Structures are given as structure tokens and as C-alpha cells.
Amino acid sequence: MTTIAVLGNGRVGGNLAAALTRAGHQVTVADSTPGAAADAARTARIVINATPGAGAPERLAALRDELRGKILVDVSNATTDGPDGLPADLLHPGSSLAEQLQEALPETSVVKTLNTMLYPVMTAPTMLSRPPTAFLSGEDPQAKQTVRELLTDLGWHKEWITDLGGIRTARATEAAILFVPHVIRADGFAPFAISIAR
């Protein structure tokens, strides 16, 4: 059992918190009330950022002390929204949200994952007709191994998880968000994920 704090109690955060609790972990969800994120992060070994990507570096930099020496799992994407509310462009072209977080939190091991799919797939990857891929980006191999084990607790098969390398590789997976609005407009809001076919 691992102590996990989920920052953000929307669809993504709530879904992850429920699934990780079912998997036997001790999970705390921090809502937007003052001090909730700091209280949750202080007592957790792993912290999951499921807050909106816009403003996340500043939001999490305020938790530097609470996050020191811990693993921060970043599942968010930082985008501007189009008129229909769907992602229109990246907020950090030439960089990534994950890189911004790692720079703001040098004593925290940031691992990017689960950001290349609609949220239901994060905790139920077998719901799709073909195996999806979960990517890992981060500088700390041990932290990535811990997150890999967490993903298996969520139902991800080991062969469906691909370690892309350092945190800079998150630029590629974060850019995949630009597929999302076009796929939704073409096929509706049905669960899907980016998958590497071999």
C-alpha cells in the first residue's frame, strides 16, 4: 500500500482516486479549498497532479517544501481552449508542462504519464478494442519504476507501458493532445488513446 495524494477532484482526479483506492492504496484527494493541497501532499509518498495545466507550475511551486523528495505524477496537459471548449494549442511550445514542473520543483521527481488518452482509459485500459500505450517521461529511473508499478495496479499490462526517456520527451506526448479535438469532432466523445502498433 502506498500513500497517494491526488491534486484535483474533477473527472480525471476523481477517477484516478477511486481506482487507486480500489487497488488498495491509501488515497487523499485535495479539492480547491485553501491549504488542502499542502495538507494532502505533506503526508503522501506519491502526488498526482490532476489539476488544469494552465497555472500548474505556479500552483505546484507553492508546494515545494511538501513535494521535496517525493514523486510527482503529472497527468495534465497545458493548452488554450478553442471556442468549443476543446484544446486548441499548447501553452508551452518548445517545452512542456512536465519540464516546467521539474524546473519549478528541482528536488521532486516528476514523471509524466497517462496524458495521451481520454480519462476513462487511464483506469480501464482494457476497455479499448486494441491495446493502448502509456508513456513514461522523467529523469529518475527509480521514480519511473514506481509509477510503472502504479500503472499495473490500474490495469495496464507491462508490455503496454513505454519509457520514452528524460523529462524532455514529455514534449512529444503533450503534443498528442492536439489530436483530441479532431478525433472527438470526427467520432464523438468515445474513449480512445494513442497506441504504438508494432
Side-chain angles (χ1 to χ4, degrees):
M1 181 185 73
T2 303
T3 53
I4 300 170
V6 178
L7 307 184
N9 62 345
R11 291 181 299 183
V12 173
N15 184 43
L16 285 168
L20 289 166
T21 299
R22 287 194 300 271
H25 298 288
Q26 182 179 330
V27 181
T28 303
V29 180
D31 57 23
S32 57
T33 57
D39 290 343
R42 189 176 295 114
T43 57
R45 179 186 172 213
I46 297 172
V47 178
I48 297 175
N49 175 41
T51 67
E58 296 78 14
R59 199 178 302 122
L60 272 73
L63 303 175
R64 180 178 292 194
D65 290 342
E66 289 84 359
L67 292 171
R68 183 176 289 116
K70 298 182 179 179
I71 297 171
L72 177 65
V73 182
D74 179 35
V75 302
S76 296
N77 288 301
T79 61
T80 58
D81 290 340
D84 57 3
L86 295 174
D89 214 341
L90 301 175
L91 273 182
H92 304 290
S95 183
S96 64
L97 173 59
E99 288 173 88
Q100 300 292 314
L101 291 172
Q102 187 63 85
E103 185 176 342
L105 300 163
E107 296 174 278
T108 301
S109 296
V110 178
V111 179
K112 188 83 182 190
T113 193
L114 295 181
N115 63 310
T116 55
M117 61 202 69
L118 291 191
Y119 77 93
V121 183
M122 294 178 175
T123 58
T126 58
M127 73 190 305
L128 300 180
S129 60
R130 279 169 258 179
T133 304
F135 301 99
L136 298 172
S137 299
E139 298 299 323
D140 183 341
Q142 189 171 355
K144 285 192 285 187
Q145 178 57 34
T146 298
V147 174
R148 184 186 291 270
E149 292 165 6
L150 210 60
L151 292 179
T152 62
D153 288 345
L154 292 173
W156 287 86
H157 297 193
K158 291 179 180 179
E159 62 271 21
W160 297 357
I161 303 169
T162 298
D163 185 345
L164 295 179
I167 201 70
R168 186 184 172 106
T169 64
R171 297 181 187 188
T173 61
E174 289 188 25
I177 189 68
L178 299 180
F179 275 102
V180 171
H182 307 299
V183 173
I184 289 175
R185 291 181 193 117
D187 298 326
F189 198 85
F192 72 90
I194 302 296
S195 179
I196 301 299
R198 298 189 188 279

